[in-house]
Amino acid sequence: MRKSLCAARRTFGTSRKPISRSWTEIAGRRFRFWKSLFNAGVACATVAHSQESAIELFQDVRGWYDALPWWFKQGDMALRRDQENKLVFKHGGSYRVGTAAQMRGGATLHYRHYSEFAFYDNPMDVVGAIEGGAKMGGRAVYETTANGLGYGWEMWKARNGWKKLFVPWVADPNYKLKHLPRDVPRTA
């Protein structure tokens, strides 16, 4: 029974997408943002594979908070701290985005999102360091695009209790042609 409960709270996703962020990845981060915003003391984090990606991902999170109406950002949901890569709400919930190197050790996290983890320099070390301090009952999501037959591939094919979700880039309606161009030659 314990194994099935743990497996239900662990998700491994991969996709073949030509851009860095898919709709599933964005929806997942929004879920974690709302968890940290509405739940006192809940700590959430996204671990990025590069500093450039971490900055871009945090700008999204910061933008979600900024887009809330002014009256929504009062009381417990007001910011206690607004740092370069972390939002901390008055009720103690927080959302942090950083690189693998920046996230090692430190806070006990309830919800963890490993973005493009197949591109981490030492994925096993990063995951071990962060998961070692993970809160019981929390969730971890691994999201990545292919990076050869390395760690990501090994984790995908292993029977390890993770729910696996493959999202092909063609599932995103933004990649579909609205009209077939007239000058495209027809093939036999």
Side-chain angles (χ1 to χ4, degrees):
M1 173 126 163
R2 184 150 165 64
K3 175 77 171 163
S4 63
L5 287 175
C6 290
R9 297 193 176 273
R10 298 165 47 174
T11 306
F12 174 86
T14 186
S15 67
R16 293 177 52 101
K17 55 187 189 305
I19 59 172
S20 62
R21 296 178 301 171
S22 70
W23 60 269
T24 54
E25 185 259 333
I26 292 169
R29 279 189 296 114
R30 284 190 179 173
F31 167 77
R32 286 178 290 284
F33 171 72
W34 285 106
K35 282 290 195 180
S36 67
L37 183 63
F38 284 106
N39 295 282
V42 171
C44 303
T46 294
V47 184
H49 70 290
S50 69
Q51 183 63 32
E52 183 179 285
S53 181
I55 291 168
E56 186 178 325
L57 294 171
F58 184 72
Q59 287 173 347
D60 284 350
V61 173
R62 179 63 206 195
W64 298 333
Y65 186 78
D66 290 344
L68 293 171
W70 67 268
W71 50 266
F72 202 85
K73 298 183 270 190
Q74 305 298 309
D76 284 348
M77 292 183 211
L79 288 175
R80 182 171 60 192
R81 267 195 325 243
D82 180 5
Q83 298 172 323
E84 181 180 315
N85 67 340
K86 184 176 184 179
L87 299 178
V88 180
F89 307 106
K90 283 193 176 176
H91 61 58
S94 64
Y95 196 110
R96 181 178 178 194
V97 180
T99 63
Q102 293 168 334
M103 301 297 264
R104 291 180 183 221
T108 299
L109 299 170
H110 297 82
Y111 296 90
R112 288 99 44 220
H113 169 219
Y114 298 93
S115 178
E116 296 291 4
F117 81 93
F119 293 86
Y120 296 172
D121 290 332
N122 299 305
M124 292 301 288
D125 294 342
V126 172
V127 170
I130 295 171
E131 289 298 313
K135 194 80 169 169
M136 289 297 290
R139 292 184 185 212
V141 175
Y142 292 77
E143 165 264 323
T144 192
T145 50
N147 188 18
L149 298 177
Y151 178 71
W153 172 249
E154 291 298 323
M155 190 170 174
W156 178 261
K157 70 178 189 169
R159 293 183 185 186
N160 51 18
W162 288 86
K163 287 184 178 180
K164 297 171 184 168
L165 172 67
F166 176 76
V167 181
W169 65 270
V170 296
D172 187 337
N174 294 321
Y175 290 107
K176 293 186 179 172
L177 290 175
K178 305 228 183 312
H179 303 286
L180 186 62
R182 293 177 187 228
D183 59 342
V184 174
R186 306 285 179 197
T187 58

